[in-house]
Amino acid sequence: MNHEISDGRLVVSLAGRIDSNSAPGVEAELLPLAEANAQLPVELDASGLEYISSAGLRVVMRLLKAHGAGVGVTNAAPEVYEVFDMTGISQMMAVERALREVSVKGCEVVGQGGNGTVYRLDEDTIVKVYRPWIGIDAVRRERDFARNAFVRGVPSVIAYDVVRVGECLGVVFEMIRSDTLGHLMRDDPDRLDEYVVKYVDLARALHATHVEPGTFTDIHDIMHERADRLGEWCSADEITLLHDITDAVPHADTLTHNDLHPGNIMVQDGELLLIDMPEVTVAPPVCDLVSIYRDMISAPQTQASVIERSVGMPAEQILKVGNLFFSGYTGITDASELEAYYKRLGLLYAFNVTFMPATGSENSRRFAGAIMDNLLRKVVVPNAEAIKGLFQVM
């Protein structure tokens, strides 16, 4: 066995065979090692494990009993996973199969966004291949969020397994035999009003979906964690202010997508289905409205080429759809009142952007200094009380 501390976990790599001959030695080394790192979850990396007998399973069970719920098995080969599954141990602890390899050579590119590229694998499945810097935890989170949403009646695509694509990770999804809402809006402008009504209805349905605690990440946890990672660019007082504003965001038990533009919505047999779900959170609807403002109102005027690729239609049409969406969602029909509404959303958007460098993407880190100078210090800090109040009333 080899072991290391990685991402706040004790990772123990198992190799070869664990049977009646080797199990006592494994136990003699494994249990004291876990006890010495009692504050850390234990990940048993089974990528090199060829066989495990009942004697080996009893060692794992004793580890589980001694260490509690923070024990899991990853990268189990099919025959090893089957042993954990048929004995019922996979119902007592997390046991992850080894990732299967998928090739996208020669596959059609279906779509592309900030987190990755989507390829058509065959008639029934697609694979979303994530950027190289996106790790396994984030990929599994999107897979799990998509599954959780689907089983709770949220109109969304079906997620299958996490896979490896060269040096990157991916998730296989069902293939929707249709197109994105953005492309349909672009190609059939005569039906634009009809499509916008469906878009508004989808957002309202999502924002009315109540979920039990722990099913999805809470927006407050994400904001607090990201605030703590801004020390490279922010002072301690500025980070404290971001925590303070975050605490003013109302608590909710409803869902937000946080990237709810027409390029992330598929249409199948007239039904709208959500895709691209790594940022789904439990949050009040206003948090989703801020992201829609970002993509459908702000970006078409400031980052036209970027948002055109994501949404799938010209910037001027994106802006038109954005105005129709917010008018339909809020009931505001007067142009001047809608502009005033956008100014309020713009303040909340400025607050959200200050967290971007903590996401780890190359672009957000490159522009971190400008974000802090032009948004945090010139917009968020002087308007902190107003932003807290807006979160409460919008």
Side-chain angles (χ1 to χ4, degrees):
M1 290 187 299
N2 294 315
H3 70 273
E4 63 175 346
I5 307 298
S6 176
D7 294 330
R9 291 174 291 193
L10 171 64
V11 180
V12 181
S13 300
L14 306 174
R17 298 168 60 89
I18 303 180
D19 52 26
S20 56
N21 292 321
S22 59
V26 171
E27 181 173 357
E29 184 176 347
L30 179 59
L31 267 62
L33 181 62
E35 184 178 355
N37 295 274
Q39 76 282 7
L40 299 177
V42 178
E43 175 185 323
L44 301 177
D45 182 354
S47 55
L49 189 61
E50 302 168 4
Y51 172 80
I52 186 167
S53 71
S54 58
L57 292 177
R58 293 187 185 282
V59 174
V60 175
M61 290 300 295
R62 282 192 278 273
L63 172 65
L64 182 62
K65 183 177 180 181
H67 204 73
V71 178
V73 177
T74 60
N75 300 318
E79 57 273 16
V80 172
Y81 178 87
E82 185 177 354
V83 173
F84 280 100
D85 191 49
M86 68 183 182
T87 57
I89 294 178
S90 61
Q91 299 177 28
M92 304 171 64
M93 60 188 291
V95 181
E96 291 277 353
R97 295 176 185 267
L99 303 183
R100 65 184 177 100
E101 297 281 344
V102 168
S103 173
V104 295
K105 185 177 181 180
C107 292
E108 174 193 355
V109 175
V110 177
Q112 191 168 10
N115 290 322
T117 303
V118 179
Y119 298 86
R120 186 194 307 270
L121 288 178
D122 52 42
E123 290 186 356
D124 298 315
T125 56
I126 56 177
V127 59
K128 178 178 178 180
V129 182
Y130 295 82
R131 305 299 182 201
W133 61 81
I134 298 180
I136 186 69
D137 289 341
V139 174
R140 284 177 175 152
R141 182 166 61 248
E142 176 165 7
R143 187 269 316 271
D144 293 343
F145 283 179
R147 287 179 173 177
N148 288 341
F150 177 73
V151 300
R152 282 161 180 80
V154 175
S156 54
V157 297
I158 298 173
Y160 297 122
D161 55 335
V162 177
V163 297
R164 190 170 296 283
V165 186
E167 297 300 315
C168 300
L169 298 169
V171 174
V172 176
F173 294 91
E174 66 169 326
M175 178 63 197
I176 300 298
R177 291 179 178 84
S178 186
D179 209 342
T180 67
L181 180 61
H183 287 165
L184 294 177
M185 287 175 164
R186 178 196 64 194
D187 297 339
D188 195 358
D190 291 340
R191 299 181 62 188
L192 188 61
D193 289 342
E194 173 190 341
Y195 288 135
V196 170
V197 169
K198 289 179 176 290
Y199 184 21
V200 170
D201 288 345
L202 176 66
R204 285 177 173 162
L206 180 67
H207 300 161
T209 300
H210 298 269
V211 296
E212 57 271 27
T215 310
F216 297 87
T217 307
D218 188 281
I219 191 68
H220 300 84
D221 295 335
I222 294 174
M223 287 182 169
H224 282 307
E225 180 188 7
R226 289 179 178 174
D228 285 333
R229 285 192 269 134
L230 292 174
E232 184 177 344
W233 307 282
C234 299
S235 68
D237 287 344
E238 289 168 341
I239 292 174
T240 297
L241 179 65
L242 293 177
H243 283 301
D244 190 36
I245 298 174
T246 296
D247 287 335
V249 177
H251 288 269
D253 65 349
T254 49
L255 289 181
T256 56
H257 183 277
N258 299 304
D259 206 9
L260 193 60
H261 61 69
N264 282 333
I265 301 169
M266 301 295 293
V267 183
Q268 179 174 256
D269 299 327
E271 182 184 12
L272 272 56
L273 301 176
L274 294 172
I275 59 174
D276 200 21
M277 304 179 71
E279 303 297 333
V280 173
T281 56
V282 175
V286 65
C287 294
D288 232 2
L289 299 181
V290 171
S291 72
I292 296 171
Y293 167 84
R294 173 197 67 203
D295 295 331
M296 305 300 290
I297 303 298
S298 176
Q301 302 176 74
T302 58
Q303 297 176 299
S305 61
V306 174
I307 199 62
E308 285 176 346
R309 288 196 299 271
S310 296
V311 178
M313 55 178 145
E316 53 275 18
Q317 190 176 22
I318 296 173
L319 184 58
K320 179 179 180 180
V321 170
N323 285 318
L324 290 172
F325 171 86
F326 278 108
S327 182
Y329 189 98
T330 65
I332 300 173
T333 56
D334 181 80
S336 60
E337 290 183 21
L338 204 55
E339 282 301 317
Y341 179 80
Y342 290 158
K343 287 183 179 179
R344 297 193 292 272
L345 280 181
L347 273 180
L348 303 186
Y349 172 48
F351 168 69
N352 276 16
V353 175
T354 61
F355 293 95
M356 283 183 57
T359 64
S361 72
E362 186 177 336
N363 275 344
S364 65
R365 292 182 63 87
R366 185 188 310 135
F367 296 110
I371 289 172
M372 299 310 164
D373 288 339
N374 297 323
L375 289 179
L376 175 62
R377 297 178 185 113
K378 292 182 180 178
V379 179
V380 175
V381 172
N383 292 286
E385 292 305 314
I387 292 171
K388 286 192 273 187
L390 289 174
F391 271 120
Q392 295 291 328
V393 300
M394 292 189 71

